[in-house]
Amino acid sequence: MNWKFWLTASEPRARYALLVALGAIILMTLTYSVWYPGGPVLAAFAAISSIIIAHVSAKLIMRN
């Protein structure tokens, strides 16, 4: 497994940043009903999870 590929940002960085931001916003919106009642700890966990999922999705989209 190529760890450098997964742990660095994609090029061009503007497109990567846009994809990650949109992915995180969409995931946080979809899971609002789960993390909002859970308080700040669950919100932080949801935010970190959504950033990781958005990063992997952006990398897979930009791989082509």
Side-chain angles (χ1 to χ4, degrees), residues 21-50:
L22 287 174
I25 290 170
I26 290 170
L27 288 169
M28 289 299 287
T29 302
L30 290 174
T31 60
Y32 177 78
S33 62
V34 175
W35 61 260
Y36 181 72
V41 174
L42 193 55
F45 177 75
I48 292 169
S49 300
S50 69

